[in-house]
Amino acid sequence: MMGFLDWVAHVLPFMASPAFAISWYAIGVIGAVAIAIDANTANSALNPPLKVAWPIIVFFFSLVGVALYLVMSRPGDIGRVQGRKAKTERFTQYSKPTWRKVVASATHCVGGDGMGIMTAMVFARVEGFSFWGEFWFEYLIGYLLGWFIFQTWAMRMHDNGWFESIWKGGRAEFFSMITVMLGMGLVMRFVTPATVGAQPLPDTYAFWTFGALGLMVGFIFTYPMNYWLVAIGWKHGQGHEDMLKKMNKDERDGRRGQEARTSEQ
């Protein structure tokens, strides 16, 4: 462990520099705006919660987030596909591989949790919380934000009632959040102090760059957990299989109704 931390202390100090931090977040802001626009125009079939989660991820992950979005949640030809149903079909077909669904599931998790975690971290550092006080405060705020907004929203999209959505959302968020905070906590406890000597305050560049690093490590840690949650049906990833079934049923019912009216005439 000490050998790894010595290596970290030697390699990562550049992350605390103004040039790196400003460049990282400038790309993050531009990328987040561009993806928010794309998700509501060309890639409009993207699941609504992901339309919010992806810009958050890109803001913190910068170029890494942009690359993830382009590979995981945006079919390359989606801009040439016209019509709501056609876009939905193309996006759903693109989203069929399990690894894409899992990355989208992890994105949804870290996007929601990350906003809560970073907000709580700002407050905790300003107020001088101890490490464990800050850790559990971040866990609580991240969990509540991820549960009641992002996860419940996603569960509602699968025709669950409010009570069932809250229950299923909280269940999925509980397991996801454990792994996100495990990764975040390891960076906070070991990597950041080894590199900058103390937990940085929100008015420093290191606070924001190492906060982003913690979220990225949390993303890596939560991937296996989200794989399991998608595999057992507790989370859904991305795609619109249920919506397409409903669209096709509505079309069939409409055709039958038209045929019935025609035969009556």
Side-chain angles (χ1 to χ4, degrees):
M1 184 66 172
M2 290 304 300
F4 172 73
L5 293 179
D6 290 340
W7 177 82
V8 163
H10 177 71
V11 171
L12 295 185
F14 75 90
M15 290 184 61
S17 70
F20 176 80
I22 292 171
S23 299
W24 183 266
Y25 276 99
I27 294 170
V29 169
I30 294 169
V33 171
I35 284 168
I37 294 171
D38 182 67
N40 287 283
T41 53
N43 198 25
S44 57
L46 184 69
N47 301 54
L50 287 172
K51 290 181 180 182
V52 178
W54 269 119
I56 296 171
I57 289 290
V58 171
F59 174 73
F60 288 113
F61 288 17
S62 193
L63 275 177
V64 177
V66 172
L68 281 171
Y69 171 76
L70 293 176
V71 173
M72 303 299 174
S73 288
R74 191 190 195 281
D77 60 350
I78 196 68
R80 298 191 296 274
V81 179
Q82 300 299 316
R84 178 170 175 261
K85 184 180 179 184
K87 281 184 179 291
T88 302
E89 289 174 335
R90 177 67 185 105
F91 179 77
T92 301
Q93 186 272 332
Y94 182 81
S95 302
K96 280 185 177 179
T98 301
W99 55 274
R100 277 203 175 105
K101 289 187 178 297
V102 175
V103 169
S105 177
T107 297
H108 181 227
C109 170
V110 177
D113 298 349
M115 284 296 293
I117 290 169
M118 292 301 293
T119 301
M121 187 184 291
V122 169
F123 183 85
R125 296 284 170 87
V126 170
E127 294 299 318
F129 282 29
S130 67
F131 171 80
W132 286 112
E134 178 181 329
F135 180 90
W136 290 115
F137 182 59
E138 290 171 12
Y139 188 105
L140 175 64
I141 301 302
Y143 178 76
L144 292 176
L145 185 64
W147 177 11
F148 285 108
I149 298 180
F150 285 84
Q151 297 295 348
T152 299
W153 182 11
M155 294 301 173
R156 282 285 292 162
M157 293 185 62
H158 292 270
D159 294 326
N160 297 307
W162 275 109
F163 181 80
E164 187 177 10
S165 295
I166 290 170
W167 154 244
K168 288 183 176 180
R171 178 181 63 182
E173 180 67 14
F174 176 79
F175 290 99
S176 293
M177 189 65 182
I178 289 172
T179 44
V180 172
M181 278 307 296
L182 176 59
M184 189 79 185
L186 288 173
V187 172
M188 289 165 50
R189 182 69 178 86
F190 299 106
V191 176
T192 305
T195 308
V196 297
Q199 296 293 353
L201 293 173
D203 61 353
T204 64
Y205 294 108
F207 174 90
W208 296 99
T209 53
F210 282 91
L213 178 63
L215 291 178
M216 286 193 284
V217 174
F219 187 97
I220 294 169
F221 273 55
T222 203
Y223 183 90
M225 178 62 76
N226 275 265
Y227 193 99
W228 176 68
L229 292 170
V230 169
I232 65 174
W234 284 14
K235 295 188 75 176
H236 302 92
Q238 66 183 18
H240 298 290
E241 290 83 359
D242 293 341
M243 184 186 295
L244 282 173
K245 288 178 182 177
K246 186 176 186 302
M247 284 181 173
N248 291 331
K249 181 179 182 300
D250 290 344
E251 285 183 358
R252 289 193 300 270
D253 292 345
R255 283 196 298 269
R256 291 193 188 105
Q258 182 62 38
E259 290 169 359
R261 288 190 294 271
T262 301
S263 64
E264 289 173 358
Q265 295 173 359

